[in-house]
Amino acid sequence: MKFLNQSFLEKIIFLIFLFPFFLNGQTTDSNASGEVKYPQFKFQGLFQARYLNDFSKDIDAVTGLQHTDGNAVENTFDIKRMRLGVTTKLGERFDVVVLANLADFKSDPKGKVLENAFARYIFSKDVGLLVGQFRPAFGIEELNPADILKSFDYSNQYTEFGNNGWTSFQIGASVFGGFNLGKTPVTYALSVVNGNGKDQISDKDNGKQYSARLAFELDKKHNINFGINGGFGEVFTQKVFAVGLDLTADFKLADKLILQTQLEAKQGINHFLYYSLVPDLRTLNINDYEMRGAYFLPNLRYEIRYRKLTAIEFSCRYEYFDRSFKINSNARQTYTPMAGLEFGKGYTGRIEMGVQFDNYKRNIPNTTTYDNNLFIIQFQGRFF
């Protein structure tokens, strides 16, 4: 009974905290006119295809699985994403967004395919409400779609924190907006989600995960932004948490040359790992299983603007990630040097080439926890 009361109290406090936003944000739509017709539709899409070649022997190029039987597929062509989406504007402040990845049909589509599926209402410039399946704001990567990333794909920590319900596509609700703290613009997001991923029939238990993000725009000219992320929740009656910090900064080195940088670090309980273990092989304390990681991503961009070629980019992301640094620590270090060509506006067309070097503290045969060197050529086309 004591536990139930504590859980109920947490939810009440969360709702009380949100109530003023709803109260202050509700305004009358005074700009409605008969000349504007709804619904209005905006379509977008993304195609990403890759050639993969693993320079490490006996490792699958796509999955990273190491084989001792010699049956690894070390080079292959692959369709990473084939996204189609539509944003339906139902009113001046109300829209519905749907995004699907048709490339997920190449394997078992259960729990896949549908990515974004949410309704969004903007009460005012300070407050908005989002309900459905979306990516809760919990860092830099969650704010950027895959087609404008400065590397081939999201970081390892993004994937693992997504498995734990803090990032990637989750089902729930979010209140977002912005305000000024003195002369400093601040954006915020408060989210509550089921925490068990996308396309689920129901939550896995009665627990929910609550998270918040505050981002401070310290210098607009140099894109210096500092973000603070934090969350707590309950998974199968166990208390869980996650925290994170991130920083972006751009430096103009010459008229057409700019250095764009990202730095991000996260830490939290890895309940996904904990509950995947056989009970006899894990401790009784879920707090023994914590993950942490950080990455630094510099991207050198030269805006050439020659005919169809918009820019040339060179980046090299370094990431350190350990999915269980207290027990059976096996840190993974990843280097991803990459060169890219951008065609058109906003990465309408993009060709990237590079290598992903993965190094583990300890290799485990016949698993994906194994050193590998993966060569990648990726082609991208998008419309929006």
Side-chain angles (χ1 to χ4, degrees), residues 45-102:
L46 169 67
F47 173 75
Q48 285 182 338
R50 308 179 295 174
Y51 171 72
L52 308 172
N53 192 327
D54 207 309
F55 295 153
S56 304
K57 186 175 175 57
D58 297 326
I59 295 182
D60 278 331
V62 174
T63 65
L65 179 66
Q66 195 271 345
H67 292 259
T68 56
D69 57 10
N71 291 328
V73 178
E74 297 169 2
N75 70 91
T76 183
F77 291 96
D78 174 55
I79 298 177
K80 176 65 176 178
R81 294 179 177 91
M82 181 58 251
R83 284 175 166 171
L84 291 175
V86 59
T87 298
T88 305
K89 197 170 181 62
L90 301 177
E92 184 181 356
R93 305 182 182 186
F94 183 33
D95 59 9
V96 174
V97 177
V98 177
L99 178 66
N101 182 17
L102 303 184

Side-chain angles (χ1 to χ4, degrees), residues 134-164:
F134 58 95
R135 294 199 296 165
F138 203 82
I140 301 172
E141 293 180 292
E142 290 73 66
L143 305 178
N144 294 326
D147 35 343
I148 65 171
L149 291 176
K150 302 304 180 182
S151 193
F152 289 114
D153 213 334
Y154 295 102
S155 65
N156 301 318
Q157 70 176 23
Y158 173 85
T159 301
E160 195 69 15
F161 276 78
N163 292 336
N164 282 271

